[in-house]
């Protein structure tokens, strides 16, 4: 059984997802930008120089950057579409997630020219501004007839994080910088309503590790972490630590008390209480822990159980990649986040932006 990172196999696994680049192949895949992002993050975290290997694909990524004007409105909006297929038929497909994925990809590709010259800060800022609801939350797309946040889209903590991260990539640093585009106090007020009694953040009072990570990253980006009182932070740290499945037995996870307890998952992390361990939640939990309590984060890293779980249970030694758990086939998302969390524990990865440290702002 392997206990080291199978880098060569992971690089092959990830590169297979990029065979569609540059643009020769027609596809109706609406998630192209996401596929490119997860692949490029994984490859760059494994030391591949993507700016060199995929330089010829940069113009293709640029094509996903769209500026649009709505009849009857003066403002121009801009952002990224997830694929060129969606762009042709419908101009309303610029979205916050695709915009963040593309901007982070372009950072890894060292496209300074895009950030200095190509991107239109004003119109991209207009797009983000219009995605914000009066309560501070964000939709990820606009209803392009109005333009207002799309009523068919959800609003949740992910989009608060994404909006803040995009603005940071556009150069916003101080609260005043962010205020040029969004109402920072209202974002923070909205995120405060998602605090849960047992610590962390989630919907309907149920803490969720993914939402917790998004919220903490957004608080950090918007300089709002000190708005969270120390008692809440402690409860959150405690909740996060208890998401790690342990054979040596916390009360919560002992066999018999938790029907989802599986001794094979020792060291893995759950995303919610009473759920099975999952590769991606190691990232969401540990990223959250690192933001709140670097000491506890280092303790978990030093113990080595999380690394052991990922390398021996969810890493695929034959074809490369990581899977969600010790049963499923490897997939791109869990491969990216499996590599990401291992590099986060190594100290070479930026969890706030989910890219290798050297490319983070
Ligand atoms: Zn997962």
């Amino acid at each position: 059984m392997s206990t080291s990172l199978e880098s060569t196999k992971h690089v092959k696994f990830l590169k297979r997802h990029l065979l569609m680049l540059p643009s020769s192949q027609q596809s109706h895949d609406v998630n192209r930008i996401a596929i490119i992002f997860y692949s490029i993050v994984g490859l760059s975290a494994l030391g591949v120089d993507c700016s060199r290997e995929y330089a010829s694909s940069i113009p293709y990524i640029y094509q996903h950057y769209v500026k649009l004007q709505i009849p009857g409105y003066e403002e121009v909006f801009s952002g990224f579409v997830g694929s060129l297929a969606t762009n042709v038929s419908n101009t309303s497909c610029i979205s916050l997630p695709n915009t963040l994925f593309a901007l982070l990809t372009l950072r890894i590709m060292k496209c300074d020219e895009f950030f200095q010259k190509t991107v239109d800060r004003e119109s991209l800022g207009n797009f983000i501004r219009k995605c914000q609801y009066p309560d501070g939350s964000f939709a990820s797309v606009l209803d392009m007839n109005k333009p207002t946040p799309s009523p068919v889209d959800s609003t949740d903590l992910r989009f608060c994080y994404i909006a803040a991260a995009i603005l940071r990539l556009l150069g916003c640093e101080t609260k005043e910088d962010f205020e040029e585009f969004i109402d920072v106090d209202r974002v923070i007020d909205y995120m405060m309503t998602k605090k849960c009694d047992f610590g962390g953040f989630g919907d309907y009072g149920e803490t969720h590790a993914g939402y917790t990570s998004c919220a903490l990253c957004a608080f950090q980006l918007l300089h709002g972490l000190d708005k969270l009182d120390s008692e809440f932070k402690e409860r959150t740290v405690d909740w996060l630590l208890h998401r790690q499945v342990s054979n040596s037995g916390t009360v919560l996870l002992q066999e018999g008390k938790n029907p989802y307890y599986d001794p094979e998952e020792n060291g893995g992390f759950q995303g919610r209480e009473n759920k099975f361990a999952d590769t991606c939640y190691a990232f969401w939990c540990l990223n959250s822990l690192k933001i709140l309590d670097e000491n506890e984060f280092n303790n978990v890293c030093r113990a080595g159980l999380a690394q052991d779980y990922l390398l021996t249970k969810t890493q695929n030694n034959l074809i490369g990649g990581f899977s969600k758990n010790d049963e499923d086939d490897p997939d791109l998302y869990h491969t990216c986040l499996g590599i990401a969390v291992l590099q986060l524990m190594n100290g070479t990865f930026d969890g706030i932006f989910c890219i290798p440290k050297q490319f983070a702002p």
Side-chain angles (χ1 to χ4, degrees):
M1 197 172 281
S2 172
T3 50
S4 60
L5 188 63
E6 298 274 6
S7 292
T8 312
K9 285 175 184 164
H10 297 317
V11 166
K12 274 192 190 156
F13 180 88
L14 289 163
K15 283 188 173 177
R16 277 202 296 275
H17 290 86
L18 291 177
L19 288 176
M20 59 174 173
L21 287 175
S23 60
S24 51
Q25 199 183 317
Q26 284 289 327
S27 165
H28 296 285
D29 193 341
V30 294
N31 290 318
R32 281 228 163 168
I33 289 292
I35 292 168
I36 294 169
F37 168 73
Y38 290 126
S39 307
I40 293 289
V41 168
L43 287 169
S44 61
L46 293 170
V48 174
D49 182 353
C50 295
S51 69
R52 238 192 46 216
E53 286 210 28
Y54 293 99
S56 62
S57 302
I58 291 170
Y60 173 70
I61 296 171
Y62 274 35
Q63 284 174 44
H64 293 73
Y65 181 56
V66 174
K67 271 189 211 171
L68 39 99
Q69 199 164 7
I70 299 159
Y73 292 87
E74 250 173 47
E75 290 159 301
V76 178
F77 301 92
S78 71
F80 281 82
V81 295
S83 90
L84 298 177
T86 59
N87 184 25
V88 176
S89 57
N90 182 354
T91 50
S92 72
C93 289
I94 60 174
S95 81
L96 291 183
N98 286 321
T99 301
L100 180 62
F101 288 153
L103 292 178
L104 290 172
T105 302
L106 291 173
R107 280 209 64 114
I108 295 172
M109 305 280 244
K110 299 183 190 152
C111 299
D112 297 343
E113 187 259 340
F114 182 86
F115 291 93
Q116 284 156 13
K117 293 191 187 138
T118 311
V119 72
D120 179 17
R121 199 167 173 270
E122 203 52 45
S123 59
L124 180 45
N126 283 340
F127 170 53
I128 297 170
R129 180 186 296 119
K130 288 288 182 186
C131 284
Q132 188 173 28
Y133 277 104
D135 72 351
S137 67
F138 289 84
S140 71
V141 289
L142 292 177
D143 175 349
M144 275 300 177
N145 298 316
K146 298 242 172 73
T148 51
S150 170
V152 295
D153 197 26
S154 64
T155 62
D156 61 51
L157 290 161
R158 285 173 303 175
F159 307 143
C160 295
Y161 157 68
I162 290 172
I166 293 170
L167 290 174
R168 181 70 189 82
L169 291 170
L170 293 182
C172 294
E173 284 186 43
T174 65
K175 185 181 173 191
E176 289 68 37
D177 294 340
F178 285 100
E179 291 276 357
E180 191 188 331
F181 301 105
I182 60 171
D183 189 328
V184 173
D185 290 331
R186 286 192 184 194
V187 190
I188 287 177
D189 286 348
Y190 167 76
M191 295 197 295
M192 285 296 200
T193 68
K194 298 292 177 178
K195 281 163 58 183
C196 299
D197 291 347
F198 293 110
F201 296 82
D203 278 327
Y204 311 109
E206 189 190 14
T207 315
H208 183 283
Y211 286 146
T212 300
S213 177
C214 287
L216 292 173
C217 288
F219 273 103
Q220 170 122 329
L221 287 164
L222 299 171
H223 312 288
L225 273 178
D226 57 1
K227 301 258 162 51
L228 301 169
D229 63 74
S230 53
E231 230 177 284
F232 174 77
K233 286 180 185 165
E234 277 167 33
R235 277 202 302 277
T236 304
V237 167
D238 201 49
W239 185 88
L240 291 164
L241 289 171
H242 279 86
R243 299 287 65 73
Q244 187 169 32
V245 180
S246 165
N247 275 345
S248 53
T250 61
V251 178
L252 273 173
L253 297 173
Q254 268 166 14
E255 203 163 359
K257 296 204 172 171
N258 174 359
Y260 299 95
Y261 173 75
D262 176 353
E264 289 291 303
E265 294 187 342
N266 186 39
F269 276 85
Q270 322 161 315
R272 283 180 287 164
E273 285 167 46
N274 301 326
K275 297 282 175 189
F276 289 116
D278 176 334
T279 297
C280 69
Y281 287 114
F283 179 82
W284 301 120
C285 287
L286 287 171
N287 185 46
S288 303
L289 194 57
K290 190 171 192 302
I291 293 169
L292 285 181
D293 192 332
E294 193 100 20
N295 272 337
E296 289 290 4
F297 170 78
N298 288 331
N299 287 340
V300 174
C301 298
R302 260 196 303 274
L305 295 175
Q307 293 94 322
D308 283 353
Y309 170 74
L310 294 166
L311 292 172
T312 62
K313 305 289 186 195
T314 76
Q315 174 172 243
N316 188 302
N317 303 317
L318 295 173
I319 60 166
F322 285 79
S323 50
K324 174 189 169 87
N325 51 37
D326 56 355
E327 286 172 2
D328 290 14
D329 290 329
D331 63 76
L332 179 59
Y333 171 73
H334 289 97
T335 300
C336 174
L337 288 184
I339 294 165
V341 66
L342 288 165
Q343 307 298 45
L344 186 75
M345 289 190 275
N346 283 342
T348 59
F349 199 82
D350 184 288
I352 302 285
F353 288 98
C354 197
I355 57 177
K357 251 186 188 168
Q358 78 224 65
F359 304 112

